[in-house]
Amino acid sequence: MTRLTSEELRDEVLALFTPAGSSPRPGTVGVEVELIPVADGWDTDPQPVRLESETGSEPSLLRFLRAYGRGDDLLTEESDEHGSVWFRTSRGGRLTFEPGGQLEYSGSPQNTAREAADDLTETLAPLSAAAARSGIRLVARGMNPWHSAAEVGLQVQSPRYLAMDRYFSGLGPFGREMMRLSAAMQINLDLGDPDQAGRRWRACNLLAPVCTAVFANSPGPLPEGGEAVSRRAALWQKVDPSRTGTVLAVGQAAAGEAWGQYLVFALTAKVVLRLDAEENLVPQQEDLRFNEWWAGADSPQPTPEEWRIHLSTLFPDVRPRGWLEVRSLDVPRQEWWTVPPTLLPALLYDDQALSSVLELLEPRAASLGDLSRRAAVNGVRDPELGDLAETAFRIALEAIPRFPERYFSEEMGDTMRSFLSGYVEPRRMQVDDEGSGERTTRE
């Protein structure tokens, strides 16, 4: 196997901060939404929906999607050499499955926030309605509140997920719950030119606790006791802190380039997966950080492919992938799906708004870890986070008129104002609308 060089370490991370090509201004927007499938019905707790059921009488997500896709050529089924299945939509997006069978829609990048929001609604609204007619409810919520990780099981038996499941099982219950029970909304944003990239990267990381607080939608018990408004965020913070959280230097190091900060983060993260002699993915058994593996004298040394695999197992709140993937949001209820792809482009793509966000949040850079913990526990009820969230929403609303006329729809602005007045201003969250009798996730 080829030994990994320092140049290859650097170049792979640099590529994550290098846009694949030019994008139209102000910038493209991509949205990814994960939904929890359950068998519909409220007389008893709903049952998990398997990807493939053993009997024809039980709901099956794959059976439903195959039937749905045959109508008007809505979906095209594809698979890889390991048998993992996904579906390509007629609009260019992808339907894939998370380890616990959560259904993920990844919309293709759109030139405007309005088109991204339209794509999301026009793809998932009819699909969700058809699923309901088949007895499957696609739940928009940050954590499955009805089932344990064992009850759901590992629905996707790919080599990667099998190895990751074994690794996280060795750390305790949190990783298995995260893999099998959680659901998020991810917003994908352009890096922009080199100067913009650094500022957008920093602003996204500074905004991560605010996004967690505002969109908290997974109430449940904290691992250490007490209650969280975002159990999903709390579990991410516990599962393996070497590869999660915010990636942001403070003090003198703050002036360093974003890719350099991320390189340090990646090198000091623990190794999850490696390749065996037959090039099969296997979990790392002993506690080992990548820089220790790379600098060690023992063989075999990490290869360039194992470095790329390692980078793919990092899950910070903001992840560079040739664009910025904002990962700190519980999936909101469907009526609020357009709020995140309105808020974040308005704050990041308008230079005046971006400067205001950096001015607002830079003094909190040294306390982001604490802010993130408080965001998961209290959300916008935390006085500081509530004030920051309200200011961020007002900055975004002031920026929207400066965008090209059809970049945001009028309805998107109205929905964001409704969210501001209904939740952020009174320091409420979607978890405060509870009352359906749903129980919290079982251990």
Side-chain angles (χ1 to χ4, degrees), residues 27 77 84-85 124 145 154 225 277 286 295 328 349 355 366 401 403 407 425:
E77 183 173 340
S84 295
V85 174
L124 290 184
L154 191 67
E286 298 80 23
S328 58
Y349 289 165
S355 295
F403 279 74
Y407 190 84
E425 288 178 342

Side-chain angles (χ1 to χ4, degrees), residues 29 31 33 113-114 116-121 185 187 215 332-345 393 400 408-417 419:
V29 179
V31 184
V33 171
R114 173 183 54 81
D118 288 347
D119 173 69
L120 192 65
T121 301
M185 172 180 276
I187 307 299
F215 298 106
R333 292 202 307 269
Q334 185 171 345
E335 61 262 39
W336 305 118
W337 279 358
T338 66
V339 177
T342 306
L343 174 69
L344 287 167
F393 265 71
I400 286 175
F408 299 104
S409 69
E410 184 176 344
E411 183 182 4
M412 292 173 75
D414 290 343
T415 301
M416 200 164 90
R417 278 185 283 271
F419 193 92

Side-chain angles (χ1 to χ4, degrees), residues 74-96:
L74 293 172
L75 303 177
T76 302
E77 183 173 340
E78 302 180 19
S79 62
D80 63 19
E81 67 273 18
H82 303 296
S84 295
V85 174
W86 66 89
F87 295 85
R88 183 84 56 183
T89 74
S90 58
R91 301 174 66 92
R94 282 165 52 101
L95 289 166
T96 57

Side-chain angles (χ1 to χ4, degrees), residues 102-163:
Q102 306 97 313
L103 181 65
E104 178 174 13
Y105 176 63
S106 302
S108 58
Q110 302 293 323
N111 290 339
T112 67
R114 173 183 54 81
E115 291 170 302
D118 288 347
D119 173 69
L120 192 65
T121 301
E122 292 170 12
T123 299
L124 290 184
L127 186 143
S128 296
R133 291 192 294 272
S134 298
I136 298 172
R137 191 154 51 92
L138 299 175
V139 178
R141 188 180 172 116
M143 289 285 293
N144 182 331
W146 302 284
H147 308 119
S148 69
E151 288 172 318
V152 170
L154 191 67
Q155 297 293 305
V156 181
Q157 302 279 318
S158 68
R160 174 183 169 90
Y161 285 159
L162 285 167

